């Protein structure tokens, strides 16, 4: 069949939706899908439904937080081709909430409907070595590191990076999991064994003045928008709170946004891209890692920006213009982990400038992200004071 004779009836759904996506936006009333039903998937579902879309979530967990909000919850593994086909059949466009969705599954559905981000972007962000190489090539500066692919690499890694260092598995790490602080060669060998001799990176442990993240959005037309940079404090490798505006020099914030934008452009990325950076004691901005999805450090946008990162995710996958990312109020976002459960809700509701967000998780486990709250105030000093006061009260 020539393209002249190809009618919309004879086009596959992928052809229809990709031509739709570059020309005609996907509008309310259409159905959007999300792979993964944790809190990020849930907040995507809320945003999409608020905007008038139907939503389908695919997640094997029958009790996942997004499943409770979606129109349809397909309870299946991410590799289940029948389930992926069923999802693609129902959806005009599909996105994902975490980067460890197998890229082959994304390729599989990309033959049937529109999927953003694409498998190639996902594969870069899934692998610490690949994402650092990519960032380096794009002109960003990763922390000095050495890629370990076999045991005999350990000595050279130690010689080049020195100690203290951090050993990180190349794939599947999150919230500090799969990481080891290393002070000497015997610890390096031991950690490499504990990690199961998988591919790793050995990174120089740097003295961090502060951590920041930049979240950008890019659509199929190449239009880019960036959210205000967030300053992030971690505890035990897990994000504890985010402060916006970040208390860094304007030039540093600018560099972080530019870095994230360069990466999005270099990948011809479509969707939300979050990039984590370290600011060293010397004021150097180091690239740490990227996430091809909304990010915990962007939850402040839900209450403090004109457009939230989740609405922006919907806009990007639908070929719509990016929404206004303007910050309407200084804000501090605090994560609520399962360590403190159940909290005394009155500690939160007694404050008139706190917005609470819970993820619908019934089982609380230490370290598990159960929800967050955003404190909006005249300036970050008073937002931080309230945030810390409330967090401490919750911890008592
Ligand atoms: P994850 O995928 O678990 O978020 P990260 O690489 O972002 O992994 O590490 C989690 C946290 O550990 C960082 O936010 C930072 O606080 C700390 N960290 C990671 N790498 C380094 C490093 N090279 N030097 C100092 N601190 C680090
Ligand atoms: Mg991180």
């Amino acid at each position: 069949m020539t393209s002249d004779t190809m009618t919309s009836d004879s086009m596959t759904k992928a052809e229809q939706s990709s031509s739709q996506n570059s020309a005609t936006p996907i509008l309310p009333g259409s159905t959007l899908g999300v792979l993964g039903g944790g809190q990020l998937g849930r907040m995507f579902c809320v945003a999409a439904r608020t905007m008038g879309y139907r939503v389908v979530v695919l997640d094997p967990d029958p009790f996942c937080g997004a499943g409770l909000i979606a129109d349809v919850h397909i309870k299946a593994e991410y590799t289940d081709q029948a389930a992926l086909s069923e999802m693609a059949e129902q959806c005009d466009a599909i996105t994902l909430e975490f980067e460890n969705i197998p890229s082959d599954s994304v390729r599989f559905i990309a033959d049937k409907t529109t999927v953003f981000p694409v498998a190639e972007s996902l594969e870069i962000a899934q692998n610490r070595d690949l994402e650092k190489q990519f960032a380096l090539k794009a002109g960003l500066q990763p922390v000095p590191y050495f890629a370990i692919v076999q045991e005999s690499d350990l000595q050279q890694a130690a010689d080049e990076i020195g100690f203290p260092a951090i050993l990180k598995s190349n794939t599947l790490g999150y919230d500090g999991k799969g990481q080891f602080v290393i002070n000497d060669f015997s610890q390096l060998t031991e950690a490499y064994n504990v990690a199961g001799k998988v591919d790793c990176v050995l990174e120089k442990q740097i003295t961090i003045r502060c951590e920041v993240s930049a979240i950008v959005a890019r659509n199929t037309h190449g239009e880019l928008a960036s959210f205000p940079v967030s300053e992030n404090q971690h505890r035990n490798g897990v994000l504890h709170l985010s402060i916006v505006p970040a208390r860094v020099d304007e030039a540093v914030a600018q560099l972080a946004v530019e870095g994230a934008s360069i990466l999005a452009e270099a990948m011809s990325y479509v969707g939300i891209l979050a990039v984590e950076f370290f600011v060293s004691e010397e004021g150097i901005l180091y690239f740490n890692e990227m996430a091809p999805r909304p990010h915990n450090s962007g939850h402040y946008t839900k209450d403090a920006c004109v457009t939230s990162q989740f609405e922006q995710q919907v806009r990007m996958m639908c070929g719509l213009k990016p929404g206004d990312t303007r910050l309407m109020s200084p804000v501090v976002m605090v994560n609520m982990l399962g360590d403190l459960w159940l909290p005394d809700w009155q500690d939160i509701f007694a404050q008139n400038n706190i917005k609470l967000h819970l993820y619908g998780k019934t089982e609380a486990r230490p370290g598990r992200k159960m929800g967050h709250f955003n404190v909006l105030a005249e300036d970050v000093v008073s937002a931080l004071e309230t945030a810390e006061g409330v967090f401490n009260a919750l911890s008592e």
Side-chain angles (χ1 to χ4, degrees):
M1 185 191 299
T2 67
S3 57
D4 289 335
T5 59
M6 192 182 257
T7 64
S8 68
D9 279 351
S10 62
M11 283 166 83
T12 66
K13 198 160 182 198
E15 285 163 342
Q16 284 177 36
S17 37
S18 84
S19 68
Q20 247 178 25
N21 209 286
S22 48
T24 326
I26 297 170
L27 295 173
S30 307
T31 302
L32 305 180
V34 59
L35 293 160
Q39 63 268 17
L40 300 176
R42 178 183 169 101
M43 289 184 270
F44 166 81
C45 289
V46 172
R49 291 197 67 161
T50 303
M51 295 162 78
Y53 294 89
R54 287 185 75 248
V55 279
V56 177
V57 57
L58 189 146
D59 188 304
D61 177 0
F63 305 109
C64 72
L68 305 171
I69 302 274
D71 293 274
V72 178
H73 177 189
I74 301 173
K75 302 173 189 74
E77 297 298 329
Y78 301 117
T79 48
D80 180 335
Q81 294 199 344
L84 292 167
S85 295
E86 183 192 338
M87 183 187 202
E89 187 53 42
Q90 292 187 42
C91 294
D92 297 286
I94 294 176
T95 190
L96 43 94
E97 69 133 23
F98 81 124
E99 55 273 32
N100 291 326
I101 302 287
S103 57
D104 282 346
S105 299
V106 170
R107 275 207 182 81
F108 179 77
I109 42 178
D111 279 343
K112 305 174 192 324
T113 190
T114 301
V115 191
F116 291 120
V118 298
E120 290 73 21
S121 303
L122 198 60
E123 282 165 352
I124 295 169
Q126 278 173 347
N127 184 301
R128 289 190 191 276
D129 183 26
L130 285 186
E131 69 184 353
K132 286 179 202 293
Q133 283 184 37
F134 194 87
L136 198 60
K137 235 166 97 184
L140 285 76
Q141 187 174 357
V143 177
Y145 82 103
F146 192 96
I148 296 166
V149 294
Q150 55 199 10
E151 197 156 2
S152 57
D153 294 333
L154 292 178
Q155 189 61 56
Q156 199 185 343
D159 291 346
E160 287 201 12
I161 302 304
F163 301 115
I166 303 185
L167 184 74
K168 302 180 182 179
S169 60
N170 252 0
T171 57
L172 302 175
Y174 67 99
D175 287 343
K177 294 185 177 66
Q179 298 193 13
F180 307 83
V181 177
I182 309 289
N183 290 300
D184 58 38
F185 191 74
S186 69
Q187 284 181 1
L188 177 58
T189 315
E190 193 187 326
Y192 181 67
N193 287 333
V194 171
K197 301 190 179 185
V198 292
D199 288 357
C200 288
V201 292
L202 186 70
E203 271 181 42
K204 187 177 165 65
Q205 185 178 39
I206 60 161
T207 309
I208 293 174
R209 184 192 295 165
C210 76
E211 299 189 42
V212 295
S213 53
I215 300 177
V216 297
R218 188 175 178 276
N219 66 13
T220 39
H221 310 288
E223 290 172 296
L224 260 173
S226 55
F227 287 101
V229 166
S230 148
E231 175 186 343
N232 306 319
Q233 295 182 2
H234 291 76
R235 288 192 179 170
N236 307 317
V238 183
L239 182 66
H240 169 50
L241 57 80
S242 292
I243 303 163
V244 188
R247 297 166 303 174
V248 294
D249 289 348
E250 188 47 42
V252 171
Q254 187 69 32
L255 207 57
V257 169
E258 277 170 20
S261 306
I262 287 169
L263 290 175
E265 288 289 353
M267 286 188 279
S268 299
Y269 188 84
V270 176
I272 301 290
L273 183 71
V275 185
E276 297 179 12
F277 297 91
F278 301 142
V279 182
S280 73
E281 275 301 339
E282 301 78 30
I284 299 169
L285 186 76
Y286 286 108
F287 165 87
N288 176 30
E289 61 173 350
M290 59 174 131
R293 52 165 172 81
H295 195 259
N296 194 166
S297 67
H299 291 351
Y300 78 87
T301 61
K302 285 171 69 79
D303 298 307
C305 287
V306 176
T307 306
S308 77
Q309 60 172 347
F310 300 100
E311 175 178 340
Q312 203 74 305
Q313 185 179 21
V314 172
R315 284 170 170 265
M316 296 304 97
M317 72 192 288
C318 291
L320 300 167
K321 278 183 86 65
D324 187 354
T325 53
R326 191 160 28 105
L327 188 70
M328 297 184 295
S329 166
V331 58
V332 170
M333 188 283 316
V334 183
N335 265 342
M336 301 174 77
L337 304 185
D339 310 55
L340 318 168
W341 219 252
L342 285 168
D344 182 351
W345 301 117
Q346 283 308 327
D347 290 334
I348 291 178
F349 291 125
Q351 305 286 333
N352 66 4
N353 59 341
I354 295 190
K355 310 290 277 185
L356 176 67
H357 301 265
L358 296 181
Y359 307 148
K361 298 180 185 179
T362 43
E363 194 194 334
R365 290 190 299 270
R368 190 174 197 208
K369 290 174 179 168
M370 304 298 286
H372 68 269
F373 60 86
N374 286 327
V375 185
L376 292 98
E378 286 292 304
D379 50 59
V380 288
V381 176
S382 55
L384 197 54
E385 198 176 307
T386 304
E388 281 171 342
V390 168
F391 182 79
N392 291 337
L394 291 173
S395 312
E396 274 163 11

